[in-house]
Each structure stands twice: as structure tokens, then as C-alpha cells.
Amino acid sequence: QSQPVESGGGLVQPGGSLTLSCKTSGSNLRRYAVGWFRQAPGKEREGVSCLSAGATVTMYADSVKGRFTVSRDNARNTVSLQMNGLKPGDTALYYCAVDRTPFSPTCTLIEDNERYTYWGQGTQVTVSS
């Protein structure tokens, strides 16, 4: 597995939308669980959303339920995080993390480095008027 690369961040007004993408080269990302995490200035990194290999299981933090949607585009070998109704509190550096082991039927919002061993460099999301 290779290091994932995030893209799609930017500056958006409150109530706006962004779609983040997580892509890897080489290995087929559909085989791996993927988690999205974020870290705001002065705060610890927190889990936002995740989906299992095969996308049979998805999870969301309470703070983003109903606003964020995680999905796979297997043709493009990417995992996307669609973010709607953005709030200033969503401002953070967003990371995707890829599972160490393929074909896991579960995922977790816990920052478990024994599980998520491949992390991207992050993409900045800023929500401000």
C-alpha cells in the first residue's frame, strides 16, 4: 500500500460544500478500509468518517452526521468525503488514513495507528465568511 494523497480542500463560506478526495497509487483502494480524520488548531485529531473495504459499513462522528457523506469511486480508485452545510467549526486539516490490512469488514473513527498505518499529508478546509 502507498501513502494516500488528499485533495479538494479550500476556503468556503458557512453553509457551503466541498468534496475531499483520497487517492492512492498502485494498490486497489477498494480493498481497504479508509478513515477521514481532522485536526483543528490547538485541538487533537478526531475521527470524522470511515468506510470499510467494500463500503458495506460507514461511520460518522455525531458532529457531521446528516451533513457529510463518505463514498468510493472504484473506477478512479478514490474515496470521497462530500461535505455539505459546512460550519466554521469544521475548519481543520483533513487527513485520510488507509487500513494496514485488506478486506476488513469494519472501520473505526479511533486514531488507531496499529490499524491505520498509511496517512496522507492532509488538505486544509477553512469555513469562514
Side-chain angles (χ1 to χ4, degrees):
Q1 185 57 277
S2 59
Q3 182 178 25
V5 177
E6 305 94 339
S7 63
L11 172 64
V12 64
Q13 292 187 342
S17 299
L18 283 174
T19 300
L20 306 183
S21 294
C22 174
K23 186 175 179 65
T24 63
S25 60
S27 298
N28 194 334
L29 194 58
R30 79 172 72 185
R31 298 176 182 173
Y32 296 85
V34 172
W36 282 99
F37 295 79
R38 68 186 181 186
Q39 187 167 22
K43 295 187 177 180
E44 294 189 355
R45 191 153 59 184
E46 64 175 353
V48 175
S49 181
C50 68
L51 78 171
S52 63
T56 53
V57 173
T58 58
M59 298 181 66
Y60 299 92
D62 288 343
S63 59
V64 307
K65 279 181 183 176
R67 300 188 298 123
F68 290 11
T69 303
V70 64
S71 63
R72 291 186 184 274
D73 183 340
N74 293 329
R76 296 174 59 203
N77 201 35
T78 60
V79 170
S80 296
L81 184 68
Q82 173 69 42
M83 306 186 297
N84 299 324
L86 284 162
K87 305 174 182 180
D90 295 317
T91 295
L93 189 60
Y94 282 72
Y95 301 88
C96 74
V98 180
D99 202 342
R100 172 206 299 260
T101 304
F103 307 119
S104 175
T106 65
C107 67
T108 179
L109 297 182
I110 297 172
E111 186 179 344
D112 181 355
N113 290 323
E114 291 296 315
R115 176 156 187 186
Y116 292 123
T117 54
Y118 304 97
W119 290 78
Q121 295 298 308
T123 185
Q124 179 68 39
V125 172
T126 303
V127 184
S128 175
S129 55

